[in-house]
């Protein structure tokens, strides 16, 4: 997550034919943006929506019908799913049943920047509403932002781990050329590799989504996955229609970024030494120790005009959210419609060791 995956997936979708000319088969994703989320969930053994149940069968058929030297599947959902033992076992078993040798391409980002970006994303998609500092505490204490477990995963299933840096330079120059080189292709083979997708939300967007979710949760209700997806779509449209869309959220202070980097340094150094043979601080020298000025409205109160706009936006979006909650088509009771299940938390599977 938050390492240019949307750009990579869009590129793969738009260049399927040219990639196949070079021997790289990209399966149809069934998604407008090109991500293979349904396919990887099926390969991991998760229950899918009815119209997605054939994802695995369709993939196997396409493999048989499409001569190629390599197959490229892209889904950031794997970053969480493969940390669950049962899902990992199911995934790699099925991959090898299809006579494929797995290689895992991982883009690694310094955690202070990644956590900041992740927070704006999970708030904008109506998944979390706690203050940024509380989110940081949970992130640094958990395993999601630690990379050593992925080395153990690759070792356990005899899969090659291809790790690439995602730095400020990557953001500036684009992640697609880095990805192509990681899988053995020259970027010069393709006309347009400068793909920009999924720009991070800004402080106004974060504040509206956070305020709405807190009000909804305060009534004892919680969004299903489909409801949250619809709310995000409505929020984006509302902000654009009212000229309120923004970008560039920052909840980091310089001290908080240093705290994150200090806490995760042992795991980071162990990972960097294993995959690159150098310490983390050397690999991410330009991204560590940076100064940050937060713009989160809970940390830096906005002016009166912005506060009035924010209050009105939260009020109007809450009414829209309540209407969404009343739509029975979005409130289906099924594991795939539970946000916690989709991230693996509802599985009885055993976590891989941290």
């Amino acid at each position: 997550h938050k390492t240019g995956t949307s750009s990579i997936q869009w590129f793969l979708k738009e260049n399927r034919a040219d990639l196949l000319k070079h021997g790289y088969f990209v399966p149809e994703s069934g998604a407008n943006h090109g991500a293979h989320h349904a396919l990887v969930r099926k390969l991991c053994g998760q229950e899918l929506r009815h119209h997605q149940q054939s994802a695995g069968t369709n993939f196997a058929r396409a493999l048989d019908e499409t001569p190629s030297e390599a197959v490229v599947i892209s889904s950031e959902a794997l970053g969480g799913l493969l940390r669950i033992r049962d899902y990992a076992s199911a995934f790699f078993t099925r991959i090898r049943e299809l006579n494929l040798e797995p290689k895992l391409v991982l883009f690694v980002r310094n955690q202070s920047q990644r956590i900041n970006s992740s927070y704006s994303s999970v708030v904008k998609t109506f998944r979390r509403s706690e203050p940024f500092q509380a989110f940081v505490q949970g992130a640094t204490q958990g395993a999601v932002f630690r990379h050593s477990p992925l080395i153990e995963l690759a070792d356990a299933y005899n899969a090659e781990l291809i790790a690439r840096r995602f730095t400020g330079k990557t953001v500036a120059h684009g992640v697609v050329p880095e990805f192509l080189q990681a899988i053995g292709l020259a970027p010069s083979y393709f006309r347009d590799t400068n793909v920009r997708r999924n720009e991070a939300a800004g402080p106004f967007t974060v504040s509206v989504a956070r305020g709405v979710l807190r009000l909804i949760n305060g009534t004892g209700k919680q969004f299903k996955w489909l409801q949250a997806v619809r709310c995000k779509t409505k929020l984006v449209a509302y902000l654009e229609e009212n000229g309120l869309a923004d970008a560039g959220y920052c909840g980091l202070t310089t001290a908080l970024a240093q705290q994150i980097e200090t806490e995760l340094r042992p795991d980071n150094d162990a990972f960097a030494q294993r995959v690159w043979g150098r310490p983390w601080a050397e690999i991410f020298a330009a991204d560590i120790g940076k100064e940050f000025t937060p713009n989160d409205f809970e940390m830096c109160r906005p002016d009166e005009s912005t506060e009035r706009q924010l209050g009105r936006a939260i009020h109007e979006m809450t009414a829209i959210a309540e209407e969404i909650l009343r739509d029975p088509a979005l409130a289906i009771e099924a594991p795939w419609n539970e946000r916690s299940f989709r991230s693996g938390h509802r599985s009885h599977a055993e976590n891989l060791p941290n």
Side-chain angles (χ1 to χ4, degrees):
H1 288 277
K2 312 316 298 178
T3 57
T5 47
S6 296
S7 296
I8 292 169
Q9 290 153 6
W10 182 262
F11 175 85
L12 292 174
K13 175 178 178 291
E14 294 297 301
N15 292 272
R16 290 183 73 248
D18 286 341
L19 285 159
L20 189 57
K21 290 177 184 177
H22 293 282
Y24 289 73
F25 171 52
V26 180
E28 291 279 7
S29 67
N32 291 335
H33 47 79
H36 296 104
H37 299 327
L39 174 57
V40 303
R41 291 185 184 282
K42 188 66 176 179
L43 294 173
C44 287
Q46 275 202 330
E47 180 180 333
L48 299 178
R49 302 168 70 178
H50 178 72
H51 71 275
Q52 296 176 328
Q53 284 293 346
S54 61
T57 303
N58 293 343
F59 175 52
R61 184 185 302 118
L63 281 178
D64 288 338
E65 297 173 351
T66 312
S68 61
E69 298 297 320
V71 183
V72 185
I73 301 171
S74 178
S75 172
E76 60 269 34
L78 281 173
L81 293 172
L82 292 185
R83 293 172 184 262
I84 308 297
R85 188 179 299 279
D86 283 2
Y87 290 156
S89 177
F91 178 83
F92 287 108
T93 296
R94 185 64 181 129
I95 287 295
R96 288 201 159 88
E97 287 174 351
L98 294 167
N99 295 316
L100 300 173
E101 289 298 321
K103 296 184 179 183
L104 304 177
V105 180
L106 170 68
F107 276 88
V108 182
R109 187 177 186 182
N110 191 49
Q111 285 95 338
S112 54
Q113 287 90 342
R114 184 181 164 207
I115 289 172
N116 185 81
S117 184
S118 292
Y119 179 75
S120 66
S121 178
V122 298
V123 172
K124 179 183 176 182
T125 52
F126 294 90
R127 286 180 282 167
R128 305 285 284 270
S129 64
E130 73 267 47
F132 179 71
Q133 295 92 329
F135 180 80
V136 168
Q137 184 176 3
T140 55
Q141 291 177 352
V144 173
F145 290 90
R146 298 175 190 269
H147 300 106
S148 291
L150 298 176
I151 293 177
E152 298 173 20
L153 171 77
D155 289 346
Y157 294 98
N158 195 29
E160 181 182 351
L161 181 64
I162 302 170
R164 290 292 185 270
R165 295 171 289 181
F166 187 90
T167 64
K169 183 178 178 180
T170 314
V171 174
H173 295 160
V175 71
V176 171
E178 283 280 339
F179 173 76
L180 290 172
Q181 291 170 353
I183 64 173
L185 281 168
S188 58
Y189 291 160
F190 304 92
R191 284 176 300 200
D192 187 8
T193 59
N194 186 23
V195 182
R196 304 284 175 173
R197 306 288 296 179
N198 197 20
E199 187 175 14
F204 193 91
T205 302
V206 166
S207 294
V208 175
R210 189 167 53 195
V212 171
L213 187 54
R214 287 174 179 175
L215 287 171
I216 295 297
N217 289 345
T219 66
K221 300 173 184 176
Q222 289 190 333
F223 285 130
K224 301 284 190 183
W225 175 68
L226 283 177
Q227 294 168 336
V229 170
R230 179 66 60 83
C231 271
K232 177 194 173 185
T233 301
K234 292 289 188 180
L235 173 64
V236 171
Y238 174 89
L239 294 174
E240 289 180 351
E241 289 168 4
N242 290 277
L244 298 171
D246 64 343
Y249 170 84
C250 182
L252 290 168
T253 63
T254 302
L256 186 55
Q258 291 173 348
Q259 176 186 324
I260 294 169
E261 291 160 2
T262 299
E263 192 155 345
L264 295 174
R265 185 176 299 144
D267 185 83
N268 285 344
D269 280 340
F271 178 86
Q273 288 289 355
R274 171 71 184 271
V275 300
W276 295 308
R278 290 185 287 165
W280 182 273
E282 184 177 327
I283 298 294
F284 292 95
D287 295 316
I288 290 177
K290 293 185 68 173
E291 295 186 357
F292 296 94
T293 301
N295 58 19
D296 187 314
F297 290 168
E298 290 189 338
M299 303 169 73
C300 308
R301 186 172 177 176
D303 59 51
E304 290 185 10
S305 174
T306 302
E307 272 200 301
R308 286 194 298 270
Q309 288 179 319
L310 179 60
R312 182 165 57 251
I314 291 174
H315 175 74
E316 294 176 354
M317 268 305 304
T318 300
I320 293 172
E322 288 171 341
E323 184 179 345
I324 288 170
L325 285 168
R326 290 191 291 270
D327 186 345
L330 304 176
I332 298 169
E333 293 291 343
W336 58 261
N337 203 24
E338 298 290 339
R339 291 174 298 163
S340 55
F341 176 82
R342 297 181 69 84
S343 62
H345 296 158
R346 284 281 296 278
S347 168
H348 295 297
E350 179 184 357
N351 280 323
L352 285 163
N354 292 335

